[in-house]
Amino acid sequence: MTREQKSLWLHAAVVLVLGALYFVLPEYHAGNLARIMVLAVYAMGYNLLFGYTGLLSLGHAMFFAAGMYGFGLAVNHGGLPAGAAVLIGIAATLVVSVVVGFLALRTRDVAFMIVMLMFAQTGYLIILYFGEFTRGDEGFVVQQAQRGLFGFDLSAQGIRYWAALILFSACLLGIAKGVNSRFGKALVAVRENEERARMLGYDTHRLKFLAVVLSGVLSGAAGAAYGLLFGYIGSTFATVQYSIFPLLWVLLGGAGTTLGPFVGVLFMFYLIDLSSFLTDAYMFIAGIALLLLTMFAPKGIVGQIRASRVPWLP
Amino acid sequence: MEFGPHLLLASLEGAVSAAVLALTAMGLSIVFGVMRIVNVAHGEFFMLGAVLAWWIASMIGAHPAVGFVVAIVIAPLAVGVIAAVADKVILQRIGYDPERTIVATIGLLYILQQAALMTFGPDARPVTPPFNQRIDLPWFEFTKNGLGLFWPWGLSITSYKLFVVLAAILILTGVWLLMTRTRFGLIMRATQQDREMSQAFGVPVDNVFAYVFGLGAALAAIGAVLVVPVQQAHYLMGHDPLLLSFIVVIIGGLGSLPGTVIAAVLIGMSDGIISVFFSPTLAKIVATMAVAMVLVFRPQGLVGKAAS
């Protein structure tokens, strides 16, 4: 088998196992898994920029929140059906990521991180400032009646799981295909050595811009899906914390691997879930995880497996 | 109150926040200047200083002035030691790689913040100022007899707030003397200019970095001890000083110390004044957006010179 075939089989197997798990898992864990799959889409969007293109962003919460609020406001104040509202959420993210990408990519390295942080902070404050529509800190709930798509009620446990799985699989297979394409390989070239990629004739600025936009739109799609499937829109999702989470997930799972983001979300979600009987301060666990990962395992779980055991791992 | 007295009052409040901000941002700026790393946990060292000050003051329990004096000596020292240890144990191991340092200090941020939540609790707690006389301030008006003074109601400042401004000026002068007139300052500046060359000349760079990181954190802690009698100690209070310090260091030009002071006064004053007259959220939106734009279009800062 070639590498591509092996990775295709692996991804298909992951999707099938996740589908089968629905019939095995108790309701509580199936609910968790639906949430994990949607957050994994967010992490995959982040991984595209951080893992493959080598740009560390500290502001992805603004993309997630743009998708989420684009959807939520369109449903609640625009009275649109859910399908159209999701498209509006994605369109909002597209606009935000094009503008942010255009401005922020004029900087590099540490300045890029801080600019992204500042933009995300501005986004968060704007949500608070227009509290009249967004209900500020409190957030708002999307009613069950407004969460139907193609005649399915997405607030129902089972349908929600399958919807999350479809979204997750589409993104996973799309990214697995994409990172093996010429475009994906060019992004990795930018990560490894931007000067050299430029010298070989690649327009590295354009590549980075496309990476920001793609990564932003994926994150926004995850945000809109999160709003649609779980019915709550809140400004917490726009805070710095939600910019740090995808970084943590991707670092934990393995940056620059297709399955790393999902593995990272899965582990972190259950780590926090299991530690909640020890302490309420779950960000303490997240902090320790971040610290230990950067110090001792910068490759993450999947990255480590690839480095030591299974060199073909995508 | 009329516009004039109101503006004076706003500027006085602005001066207090500018003084504290200058101290905090100076810590961040020294760390960035010498070590070339961005310390995201800087705000938590500020919070730690405030929490320790509350803890020391309530442990001693004697006259507030005694507690305050002990706190302003002990709290920055303790925070400095914690930071120096963190530098030795964490940052030195990852070789001060810029991106990994940011991730590691984010981890440190949450560890310190949540440790404070678990021990100190979620409540905001006040510290009694060592002295707190109200000083009424006059305003002038034109009468038939020429210029006259009167005392508008509400136009006043406390002696403690004046003390904060004076103390900040004194400490910043001390830092300046340390950087320019002492052997340690010379070693720091040498390390800043060329790390390898200093090491070749026998400067123990690793130890210097630990001291510098400790010094930066201690400056933030001093700012926090000074401000905690005016503003209560809380486990989330490190967030705003961190963002504002970033803003100051960026506007002042990364690593430029005089630029940092000028920018701190500018930002602190305008933040105080804008917050009095407009919505604080709007003030923050404008400030944050402006800083992002400065970084995008003038990365060397407003005061700094363009890189040749």
Side-chain angles (χ1 to χ4, degrees):
Chain A
M1 262 198 292
T2 64
R3 249 173 115 122
E4 271 92 76
Q5 279 169 322
K6 277 184 188 169
S7 81
L8 185 65
W9 281 111
L10 179 70
H11 294 128
V14 167
V15 171
L16 284 178
V17 167
L18 282 171
L21 274 176
Y22 175 72
F23 300 103
V24 186
L25 286 177
E27 199 168 310
Y28 171 69
H29 291 288
N32 280 350
L33 205 52
R35 211 170 279 257
I36 288 170
M37 285 190 285
V38 176
L39 291 176
V41 173
Y42 181 22
M44 283 193 276
Y46 188 84
N47 191 27
L48 203 59
L49 193 63
F50 172 58
Y52 288 100
T53 321
L55 290 171
L56 201 164
S57 147
L58 292 177
H60 257 53
M62 74 182 138
F63 300 133
F64 191 76
M68 184 179 243
Y69 274 91
F71 162 77
L73 293 176
V75 163
N76 252 30
H77 294 277
L80 291 177
V86 167
L87 291 181
I88 289 200
I90 291 174
T93 323
L94 184 66
V95 173
V96 171
S97 53
V98 164
V99 172
V100 165
F102 175 74
L103 290 171
L105 283 175
R106 296 175 58 108
T107 61
R108 46 178 53 247
D109 305 329
V110 172
F112 176 78
M113 298 178 207
I114 298 178
V115 166
M116 292 297 273
L117 183 73
M118 295 285 173
F119 279 137
Q121 187 65 17
T122 314
Y124 169 64
L125 290 170
I126 286 175
I127 290 173
L128 291 189
Y129 188 69
F130 291 101
E132 205 183 315
F133 304 102
T134 62
R135 307 285 307 278
D137 273 333
E138 215 177 293
F140 58 92
V141 169
V142 180
Q143 299 303 324
Q144 189 184 348
Q146 294 166 313
R147 286 161 59 194
L149 196 62
F150 308 125
F152 292 107
D153 174 16
L154 288 172
S155 61
Q157 169 96 359
I159 294 175
R160 182 187 339 190
Y161 189 91
W162 295 111
L165 182 60
I166 289 169
L167 177 70
F168 171 76
S169 316
C171 288
L172 180 67
L173 298 177
I175 283 187
K177 190 107 185 106
V179 294
N180 259 322
S181 68
R182 285 173 59 93
F183 174 66
K185 298 226 159 95
L187 290 187
V188 174
V190 172
R191 176 189 76 191
E192 291 301 320
N193 194 334
E194 194 181 335
E195 287 301 312
R196 198 158 160 190
R198 198 183 0 244
M199 221 179 68
L200 289 172
Y202 287 104
D203 184 350
T204 54
H205 190 268
R206 187 175 143 269
L207 285 168
K208 289 199 287 185
F209 178 72
L210 287 175
V212 169
V213 172
L214 258 176
S215 166
V217 167
L218 263 181
S219 308
Y226 199 94
L228 175 64
L229 294 180
F230 303 103
Y232 171 70
I233 318 282
S235 63
T236 333
F237 294 106
T239 53
V240 186
Q241 200 171 314
Y242 269 81
S243 296
I244 306 293
F245 273 139
L247 171 67
L248 176 60
W249 293 327
V250 169
L251 274 176
L252 177 60
T257 62
T258 49
L259 288 170
F262 172 71
V263 173
V265 179
L266 184 71
F267 269 75
M268 207 59 222
F269 194 94
Y270 274 100
L271 187 63
I272 286 175
D273 193 53
L274 293 176
S275 66
S276 62
F277 71 91
L278 277 177
T279 168
D280 289 337
Y282 61 90
M283 283 312 286
F284 189 71
I285 312 283
I288 289 182
L290 267 180
L291 206 55
L292 292 180
L293 278 169
T294 26
M295 286 177 69
F296 301 111
K299 288 195 186 102
I301 298 171
V302 179
Q304 201 66 44
I305 296 175
R306 170 158 69 186
S308 57
R309 297 270 156 89
V310 198
W312 59 267
L313 214 58
Chain B
M1 225 186 297
E2 287 167 61
F3 178 75
H6 206 162
L7 184 68
L8 179 63
L9 189 67
S11 336
L12 286 171
E13 294 294 330
V16 175
S17 46
V20 175
L21 183 57
L23 284 172
T24 315
M26 184 56 77
L28 195 69
S29 184
I30 288 178
V31 167
F32 183 84
V34 178
M35 302 167 70
R36 294 279 139 193
I37 56 164
V38 176
N39 173 20
V40 186
H42 196 64
E44 303 315 305
F45 291 132
F46 180 88
M47 178 275 296
L48 221 50
V51 166
L52 282 177
W54 174 84
W55 194 63
I56 292 168
S58 57
M59 278 251 292
I60 289 181
H63 188 270
V66 182
F68 181 81
V69 169
V70 176
I72 203 155
V73 176
I74 302 283
L77 265 180
V79 172
V81 169
I82 293 173
V85 169
D87 173 78
K88 281 265 175 198
V89 174
I90 302 164
L91 299 185
Q92 231 156 71
R93 288 212 184 171
I94 55 174
Y96 301 104
D97 175 80
E99 294 201 347
R100 287 171 74 191
T101 300
I102 287 196
V103 178
T105 49
I106 291 172
L108 194 59
L109 180 162
Y110 284 117
I111 291 175
L112 294 176
Q113 182 196 82
Q114 300 293 315
L117 171 65
M118 288 190 279
T119 51
F120 177 78
D123 305 319
R125 294 165 201 239
V127 171
T128 325
F131 47 86
N132 207 18
Q133 289 86 19
R134 220 173 79 117
I135 304 171
D136 287 319
L137 294 171
W139 189 252
F140 56 85
E141 63 179 352
F142 294 102
T143 57
K144 269 178 269 173
N145 311 327
L147 207 59
L149 285 178
F150 74 111
W151 272 259
W153 186 83
L155 181 62
S156 65
I157 189 163
T158 62
S159 54
Y160 182 74
K161 285 182 178 170
L162 285 180
F163 166 75
V164 170
V165 177
L166 285 178
I169 292 171
L170 268 177
I171 290 162
L172 287 173
T173 315
V175 170
W176 179 73
L177 288 175
L178 176 78
M179 294 296 278
T180 54
R181 297 282 186 277
T182 65
R183 195 179 153 71
F184 181 64
L186 185 68
I187 288 175
M188 274 204 284
R189 283 180 291 137
T191 317
Q192 173 170 15
Q193 278 170 16
D194 194 328
R195 196 177 297 184
E196 266 105 48
M197 193 58 90
S198 317
Q199 192 141 31
F201 274 94
V203 173
V205 170
D206 285 353
N207 289 341
V208 173
F209 276 14
Y211 279 122
V212 167
F213 202 67
L215 175 68
L219 280 172
I222 293 178
V225 178
L226 285 175
V227 85
V228 83
V230 187
Q231 179 199 339
Q232 301 183 331
H234 186 253
Y235 81 102
L236 286 177
M237 74 190 291
H239 192 237
D240 279 354
L242 175 69
L243 268 180
L244 283 175
S245 300
F246 266 154
I247 294 177
V248 164
V249 172
I250 289 162
I251 299 269
L254 292 166
S256 143
L257 300 190
T260 304
V261 175
I262 297 170
V265 173
L266 200 72
I267 300 284
M269 294 291 281
S270 49
D271 190 54
I273 294 174
I274 293 173
S275 303
V276 168
F277 290 105
F278 302 97
S279 133
T281 314
L282 189 62
K284 277 189 198 158
I285 293 177
V286 172
T288 324
M289 205 60 207
V291 167
M293 290 304 161
V294 167
L295 257 181
V296 169
F297 292 105
R298 255 194 87 86
Q300 70 274 22
L302 289 179
V303 185
K305 284 193 283 288
S308 50

